[in-house]
Amino acid sequence: PPRGATSPPLPPPPPLVINEIHYNPADTQGADTDFEFIEIVNTGPDVVNLEGVSLEGVAFTFPAGATIAAGEHIVVAANAASYAGTYQTFQWASGELDDVGETLNLRDALGQLVDTVTYDDEAPWPTDPAGVGPSLSLSNPASDNSDPANWAASATPGGTPGAAN
């Protein structure tokens, strides 16, 4: 903008939440590189355009035309074919989820931080998702997902990709 002018404020980030992380699938499920996933849920009342929204921790940016409906759960996976089904599934370009914990960032198309989770495989985080079978599941998408107390091991081995936890 010209000198003295102010830039218009950035729009608020979309209401997207990292809701489930399957960072260390059980050997009985298969190779981590085939079954790791991150689930994202739209907690808002409207469809969100995902074009340019990206994940950090793995390399992924949503393509043109990608959207997520209100209340919808979508999956971004190491191998999208492992989770193709009745829900939207995308495949990250490279990287893998760290089995001992890491920080995952979700950024909007303008680079604003939308959501972040720093998970771990040790207490106070639930420890069953560390290669035993369950995923790491947020108990309520409206809760603070930076608090380990709001996460649990999924009741279902392999998690609940594409569905409420």
Side-chain angles (χ1 to χ4, degrees), residues 25-75:
D27 291 343
T28 55
Q29 188 175 3
D32 284 9
T33 54
D34 286 332
F35 291 96
E36 289 183 347
F37 72 82
I38 300 165
E39 181 185 76
I40 299 167
V41 62
N42 176 358
T43 61
D46 301 312
V47 171
V48 172
N49 177 0
L50 293 173
E51 181 176 350
V53 171
S54 62
L55 274 167
E56 298 170 352
V58 295
F60 179 73
T61 302
F62 284 95
T67 62
I68 183 171
E72 183 178 8
H73 296 76
I74 60 172
V75 172

Side-chain angles (χ1 to χ4, degrees), residues 58-144:
V58 295
F60 179 73
T61 302
F62 284 95
T67 62
I68 183 171
E72 183 178 8
H73 296 76
I74 60 172
V75 172
V76 181
N79 182 350
S82 297
Y83 291 104
T86 58
Y87 47 87
Q88 289 193 74
T89 306
F90 299 88
Q91 183 168 312
W92 60 67
S94 64
E96 59 186 45
L97 297 175
D98 195 321
D99 291 349
V100 296
E102 69 180 305
T103 299
L104 300 174
N105 293 319
L106 184 63
R107 295 192 180 272
D108 69 13
L110 300 173
Q112 296 180 94
L113 187 63
V114 174
D115 194 24
T116 186
V117 175
T118 301
Y119 69 90
D120 202 336
D121 69 337
E122 296 179 359
W125 286 88
T127 56
D128 282 349
V132 179
S135 65
L136 187 59
S137 300
L138 188 61
S139 300
N140 179 339
S143 62
D144 178 3

Side-chain angles (χ1 to χ4, degrees), residues 3 24 59 98 100 156 160 165:
R3 187 179 180 134
N24 191 358
D98 195 321
V100 296
T156 306
T160 56
N165 295 342

